[in-house]
Amino acid sequence: MTNTQTTPATAANPDVAAATAQFLTPVALGLQALAVNGKQAHWNVRGANFIAIHELLDTVVTHAQDGADQAAERIVALGLPIDARVTTVAEKTPATAVPAGFTQWDVLIRNVISDMDAVIADVQAAIDGLDEFDLTSQDIAIAIKESLEKDRWFLFAHLAE
Ligand SMILES: [Fe+2]
């Protein structure tokens, strides 16, 4: 009869769990904030490109939620908790560039891209920092960066000449 392991996978190496939490927590919180503020933009966008931007912003929100889930669950899989309560997200993430009220689509795209760039900076720090600790956690950060940069391109293409 096998003896079922009940300890986290990283019980032998707490440094890996700690580094993963250190670098992926800002990513998870930043993506949660992007999801909330992306919905704000989705609901309040106005102007000629309304339907395209309205629908694209929902895709940005879905991808942000997926990325937050990947980052958070990697931390928990390694045996540590994550504090992603709304108050914590608000305390630990930069103020959004997305304004209150109806906003023209081109202004709103710049605002959302600004928010995305703040998250991308944290993702890049995670990729760099996790390189020496855990390639599996780093791989999650790399996948999140690819997704964010693709969505950033889809948004920016509406402004590019
Ligand atoms: Fe909607």
Side-chain angles (χ1 to χ4, degrees), residues 39 42-43 54 58:
K39 273 294 189 186
H42 167 81
W43 291 321
H54 175 72
D58 240 359

Side-chain angles (χ1 to χ4, degrees), residues 5-119:
Q5 290 283 341
T6 55
T7 51
T10 55
N13 190 349
D15 288 350
V16 169
T20 295
Q22 177 191 338
F23 288 110
L24 290 188
T25 296
V27 172
L29 299 186
L31 288 168
Q32 287 288 87
L34 181 63
V36 170
N37 296 316
K39 273 294 189 186
Q40 165 74 15
H42 167 81
W43 291 321
N44 289 295
V45 63
R46 286 282 176 95
N49 278 315
F50 169 78
I51 197 66
I53 305 302
H54 175 72
E55 291 178 355
L56 181 53
L57 286 167
D58 240 359
T59 302
V60 170
V61 167
T62 299
H63 291 167
Q65 290 169 330
D66 290 347
D69 202 43
Q70 292 289 312
E73 291 187 354
R74 178 63 185 161
I75 295 166
V76 179
L78 296 182
L80 292 175
I82 180 159
D83 181 357
R85 294 171 295 174
V86 169
T87 47
T88 307
V89 172
E91 282 170 17
K92 299 279 176 74
T93 57
T96 181
V98 176
F102 297 123
T103 308
Q104 285 297 304
W105 66 272
D106 52 335
V107 174
L108 209 42
I109 283 178
R110 288 187 172 88
N111 296 146
V112 173
I113 285 176
S114 173
D115 282 12
M116 294 174 87
D117 285 346
V119 182

Side-chain angles (χ1 to χ4, degrees), residues 119-141:
V119 182
I120 289 170
D122 284 339
V123 175
Q124 186 60 56
I127 292 169
D128 296 341
L130 287 166
D131 193 60
E132 62 178 301
F133 288 102
D134 186 55
L135 297 182
T136 309
S137 298
Q138 185 196 47
D139 196 50
I140 288 168

